[in-house]
Amino acid sequence: MKKLTKLAVAALTGVALLIGSNAKAQIITPNKLRLGIGVEGGLVTGNAHNYSNSELGGTARLQYGLSNNLAITLTSGYYNFFGKQQPNSTVNYQSLGMIPIKGGIKAFFTPNLYFGAEVGAGIETKTFLPQGVNQDFVAKDTKLIVSPALGYASKHWDVGVRYENFSGQSNNYGLVGLRLAYGLGL
């Protein structure tokens, strides 16, 4: 897990350096809103890895500038954790679906590179069940989400790598994710 995180951070830094030579500097405009629409993918960690290997989702993020290098964020969308076959078995698991609702900050430590942190709730819409079991009669949980991130942002593009932890109901799992978003001012 530590190797994967280090590799992701190194890849993000490399992309930021390559793109940064041609991009305009990121300037958060104080008292202005921005909207970013993103697609993201991730690798599942923790005990959810027994049921899924990967996650794919889409998110919308509102960003409000507090200063030239600090903003608050509100993010929501949909995550799908793809179910997989149980090893050494014929049991296939259904996908887990989740609606994340997170608030956080983005703090730029260079003109284009930022540290992000979000906290919120993940509302399950589907759970990991064996194929054929009806989802309608199974309780769905709400998880606490905590998510630190590193990213690169230009005037229109935002690329971020994060670790997202989901905990609650005696269950703890996470994902290492990559988000690519297009942003515009409101």
Side-chain angles (χ1 to χ4, degrees):
M1 181 63 205
K2 288 183 181 182
K3 275 188 173 183
L4 181 61
T5 304
K6 288 179 183 177
L7 181 62
V9 170
L12 175 66
T13 303
V15 168
L17 291 173
L18 289 173
I19 295 172
S21 62
N22 295 324
K24 295 179 183 176
Q26 168 69 21
I27 297 174
I28 296 176
T29 307
N31 304 317
K32 295 288 184 178
L33 277 174
R34 291 189 55 79
L35 174 66
I37 305 295
V39 64
E40 54 188 81
L43 300 174
V44 179
T45 66
N47 61 17
H49 187 67
N50 297 331
Y51 309 103
S52 175
N53 288 327
S54 60
E55 171 266 343
L56 183 65
T59 54
R61 178 177 290 153
L62 276 175
Q63 174 179 304
Y64 181 76
L66 297 175
S67 69
N68 287 338
N69 61 357
L70 183 66
I72 56 173
T73 61
L74 178 63
T75 306
S76 189
Y78 188 79
Y79 297 161
N80 187 70
F81 294 79
F82 294 98
K84 71 177 186 180
Q85 183 173 357
Q86 185 177 29
N88 304 319
S89 172
T90 59
V91 176
N92 289 316
Y93 288 102
Q94 297 178 43
S95 297
L96 180 138
M98 182 177 289
I99 298 170
I101 303 168
K102 305 179 289 184
I105 62 163
K106 279 173 78 173
F108 284 81
F109 53 90
T110 72
N112 295 96
L113 296 176
Y114 66 86
F115 168 77
E118 294 180 307
V119 65
I123 303 164
E124 292 180 351
T125 61
K126 300 184 296 182
T127 63
F128 292 124
L129 292 173
Q131 292 288 344
V133 176
N134 190 340
Q135 291 273 346
D136 294 337
F137 302 106
V138 177
K140 312 310 188 287
D141 293 326
T142 299
K143 304 291 188 202
L144 171 67
I145 300 175
V146 178
S147 179
L150 287 175
Y152 169 88
S154 66
K155 183 175 180 181
H156 292 291
W157 293 101
D158 187 337
V159 180
V161 174
R162 74 183 186 292
Y163 174 74
E164 197 152 288
N165 184 69
F166 305 91
S167 60
Q169 296 81 32
S170 300
N171 195 0
N172 189 22
Y173 56 91
L175 68 89
V176 176
L178 175 68
R179 180 176 188 264
L180 175 62
Y182 183 79
L184 54 128
L186 297 179

